[in-house]
Amino acid sequence: MVKSIEITKASIRERLIIDAEVKMDNPNDYNFSPRANMDGKILQIYNEGDEESISTIELDDEQMTILERDRFVELKVKFSVQGMHGVLIHKTKNVRDGPNSKKLAEPRWKTVLPIVL
């Protein structure tokens, strides 16, 4: 299950793009089905069937114009599991050699969501 959803940024390129961070309860849990809903100028992103994990952001006039034109939003999600992705404490001085020279994989996901008005 989804523990929390946090919208970090809303931007416009050719369409409205929403960046979000989703924290999951378990690393083996794949139950994430995002939905988007509009309430006035407030965009809500939530997991289907889960009323507890909801995140909102207020859109400005330009973002509302793009959203009304397209009727969908592009959602970019960065997944994490609470307590599993910590901070690397011991770093190698020269990043070209040593065991810590590779970057840890970050699970990311991108989708297009229709807007329910």
Side-chain angles (χ1 to χ4, degrees):
M1 284 303 283
V2 174
K3 189 168 197 169
S4 68
I5 300 173
E6 179 186 348
I7 296 176
T8 56
K9 183 173 74 168
S11 61
I12 298 175
R13 294 212 178 110
E14 295 172 2
R15 59 179 112 180
L16 183 63
I17 300 171
I18 303 295
D19 292 345
E21 291 185 12
V22 175
K23 292 189 178 171
M24 303 297 281
D25 285 332
N26 187 338
N28 295 325
D29 187 12
Y30 305 108
N31 187 13
F32 180 62
S33 182
R35 299 291 182 254
N37 189 13
M38 282 299 297
D39 184 20
K41 284 191 162 192
I42 297 175
L43 176 68
Q44 300 173 343
I45 303 290
Y46 60 95
N47 190 23
E48 182 182 36
D50 187 11
E51 294 81 23
E52 295 175 9
S53 61
I54 190 167
S55 185
T56 61
I57 188 169
E58 187 172 351
L59 302 177
D60 62 16
D61 292 333
E62 185 180 4
Q63 292 169 342
M64 282 298 296
T65 305
I66 298 292
L67 189 64
E68 289 171 353
R69 180 193 71 191
D70 294 339
R71 302 268 184 195
F72 65 85
V73 64
E74 182 177 316
L75 180 67
K76 293 182 178 181
V77 180
K78 179 182 173 187
F79 289 100
S80 66
V81 177
Q82 186 67 30
M84 189 171 170
H85 295 89
V87 177
L88 186 63
I89 297 172
H90 305 290
K91 294 183 180 178
T92 305
K93 300 284 186 214
N94 188 351
V95 295
R96 291 177 285 164
D97 57 350
N100 297 332
S101 60
K102 293 184 180 178
K103 184 178 177 182
L104 295 174
E106 293 179 343
R108 295 184 184 266
W109 191 49
K110 183 166 57 168
T111 188
V112 175
L113 297 176
I115 298 294
V116 178
L117 298 173

